[in-house]
Amino acid sequence: MPYLFVGAGQAGSSLVDEVFAHNNMEKIATPLVFNSTIRDLQNLSNINRENWYGVAETAGLVPGTTEGFEEKVTGGFGRNPVRADEVMAENRDVLDGTLRDHLDNAEADADDGDGANVPFAFLFAGLGGGTGCGVTPHIADAIDDYSDGTCETIAVCVLPNTQGPVGGGDDEETSPSRQAWNAWYGLDRIEDAVDGIILVDNQQLSYHEAAEGQFTDLNEYVAASLVDLVSGTVLEQIDRSNYGVDPPIIDIQDIVTSLSFGVGEGENTTGYASLGRSVEMTKSLSGYLLPFVGKKQIDAAALAHVSDMKQTLTGVDSTDARKAIGLLRSPSRYVADTNYQIDTSKLRSFLTGRCDEVNLGVTLTNRNLVSFTTLFTYRREDLSRLEELSSLAKEYEHESEAVVA
């Protein structure tokens, strides 16, 4: 079992659910979701109840198969991550035992024979509410303990839209400053518990009409980007030697390395990254009707430009990146056939034009599309969006102090 995908809270659980909408993900990964509201769990389409865990004020940590689960897991934490943190801390021994039993059983079912074989974990959490912010650091620590410190963990954190009150409410719990404080509270703790952080920004949706309907599209975009990056070669298992090509590859360890700074040099600082992805179909409509026509040429420069324009973080400038990864995923003819070959030198030039430390890989696919997925990594202080959240969080603290006074 190479990967563990864990969702915490509504946003995190929804993202994991979208990842497992992709074919055969269950062959290489185990999903787990932790939430404090039964309705959000019941909205999941691709995660079985056996992989649900409820987090409740009174009942603590509740497996999804528990009799009366619906009555035990209700109400959530009212956008209060501090209380969610306290509840999970009180149930830390239960969390450790639950995780151990669940993963040991998953390993036994997979016939791998090694209960601690979880080399890589992805934790997904929304940072505007209570559950994801509060429980995710505890889950990261529990995974680290389970693997005796060998598991490398990447957090995928969803930043809140701070352009206006959520749902149009006026109370302080849904104000932009309260959400920013939650996000800052969560990031501070998650940063200490993981090897790297990928940021997804719901504020990107505030620039679209009918933004509420865009959340599904954003989840699909993020899930497809991550599936391309971490599992393309594993899922399709295409033998490159059959096509007489040996393009460069990147693996999950390359991604982990790209998401941190100073490993082995005494620093080991968590990096913050933004995702980007562009996709081009390789056949026109006529190509689907007639097998020998309709093949399209693919412009590498256009692929790179679109991926740069579609970053998951608001206000990010890829020329400020410290590290970068790019993954081209394409049918074999766009790698081996000189008539259609994509000019990967343009993709590499695009990456090196932004930072010195880059890694470009190519994987083959049987799908009739080409995708180029990028991951740009920054130090926390490089990102203006995080500075904005910090300022808003301080506003909330001042407002709260004034109310108490």
Side-chain angles (χ1 to χ4, degrees):
M1 181 182 61
Y3 309 123
L4 173 64
F5 284 76
V6 183
Q10 180 184 16
S13 298
S14 295
L15 273 169
V16 173
D17 192 53
E18 194 60 52
V19 166
F20 280 83
H22 289 254
N23 291 336
N24 299 318
M25 276 299 295
E26 70 281 354
K27 294 181 179 179
I28 65 167
T30 294
L32 293 174
V33 291
F34 294 78
N35 211 332
S36 56
T37 305
I38 183 61
R39 182 182 65 253
D40 295 337
L41 290 167
Q42 290 173 334
N43 285 335
L44 303 178
S45 302
N46 305 297
I47 310 297
N48 295 329
R49 179 180 283 264
E50 289 79 8
N51 296 336
W52 296 2
Y53 289 91
V55 186
E57 285 258 15
T58 56
L61 191 63
V62 187
T65 53
T66 301
E67 186 176 352
F69 180 81
E70 287 77 4
E71 289 73 35
K72 296 176 185 289
V73 183
T74 58
F77 288 98
R79 298 188 181 276
N80 184 350
V82 176
R83 183 55 188 145
D85 172 81
E86 292 170 347
V87 169
M88 192 58 99
E90 293 164 1
N91 288 272
R92 178 56 195 273
D93 289 344
V94 179
L95 173 63
D96 288 345
T98 296
L99 188 70
R100 181 182 61 252
D101 292 344
H102 193 108
L103 295 180
D104 283 352
N105 289 336
E107 290 292 346
D109 291 343
D111 294 325
D112 289 336
D114 182 1
N117 184 26
V118 185
F120 302 104
F122 288 80
L123 304 184
F124 297 75
L127 299 186
T131 306
C133 291
V135 308
T136 300
H138 294 282
I139 298 171
D141 288 340
I143 292 170
D144 189 63
D145 287 347
Y146 173 80
S147 67
D148 292 327
T150 62
C151 181
E152 296 185 282
T153 303
I154 296 170
V156 181
C157 296
V158 183
L159 301 179
N161 172 14
T162 52
Q163 288 292 305
V166 175
D170 294 324
D171 64 294
E172 58 89 17
E173 288 191 347
T174 57
S175 70
S177 61
R178 175 56 194 261
Q179 288 195 97
W181 189 90
N182 287 357
W184 208 250
Y185 177 89
L187 276 179
D188 276 345
R189 287 155 180 76
I190 291 170
E191 180 183 289
D192 291 338
V194 302
D195 297 287
I197 295 174
I198 298 172
L199 296 173
V200 178
D201 197 349
N202 276 344
Q203 190 148 295
Q204 294 286 61
L205 303 181
S206 68
Y207 305 111
H208 297 275
E209 294 182 6
E212 289 297 323
Q214 301 276 341
F215 284 110
T216 298
D217 292 341
L218 180 59
N219 283 352
E220 290 175 354
Y221 178 77
V222 173
S225 299
L226 290 171
V227 169
D228 272 1
L229 278 175
V230 307
S231 58
T233 56
V234 180
L235 286 181
E236 295 201 66
Q237 296 184 336
I238 297 172
D239 187 347
R240 297 145 71 97
S241 65
N242 291 337
Y243 300 95
V245 297
D246 189 25
I249 62 171
I250 58 173
D251 58 23
I252 185 64
Q253 187 60 62
D254 293 323
I255 295 169
V256 173
T257 301
S258 180
L259 284 168
S260 57
F261 298 100
V263 176
E265 300 173 3
E267 180 185 352
N268 198 18
T269 300
T270 302
Y272 286 78
S274 179
L275 273 170
R277 185 174 187 256
S278 57
V279 178
E280 283 285 340
M281 301 304 297
T282 59
K283 286 186 178 182
S284 63
L285 178 60
S286 58
Y288 285 95
L289 302 175
L290 302 170
F292 301 108
V293 299
K295 296 178 182 177
K296 297 170 61 177
Q297 297 285 349
I298 302 296
D299 184 342
L303 277 177
H305 175 72
V306 172
S307 72
D308 197 27
M309 296 293 293
K310 295 174 65 178
Q311 293 295 304
T312 55
L313 182 62
T314 300
V316 73
D317 184 348
S318 62
T319 60
D320 294 330
R322 308 296 183 102
K323 297 184 179 185
I325 273 184
L327 177 69
L328 177 69
R329 193 174 182 190
S330 74
S332 59
R333 65 176 173 274
Y334 288 93
V335 178
D337 187 338
T338 55
N339 292 323
Y340 291 95
Q341 192 174 66
I342 295 172
D343 188 353
T344 56
S345 67
K346 291 183 178 179
L347 300 179
R348 183 170 291 279
S349 294
F350 163 74
L351 296 174
T352 56
R354 278 143 180 82
C355 56
D356 294 330
E357 190 170 340
V358 305
N359 207 331
L360 176 67
V362 179
T363 61
L364 303 182
T365 178
N366 291 318
R367 300 177 298 175
N368 291 314
L369 61 82
V370 168
S371 65
F372 182 57
T373 305
T374 54
L375 192 68
F376 292 111
T377 303
Y378 310 82
R379 292 185 182 274
R380 183 165 172 166
E381 60 268 21
D382 295 334
L383 297 173
S384 60
R385 178 69 170 117
L386 296 186
E387 290 181 7
E388 175 190 333
L389 287 172
S390 176
S391 296
L392 284 169
K394 290 175 182 176
E395 284 182 18
Y396 176 76
E397 289 180 346
H398 294 154
E399 292 166 1
S400 300
E401 289 171 359
V403 170
V404 172

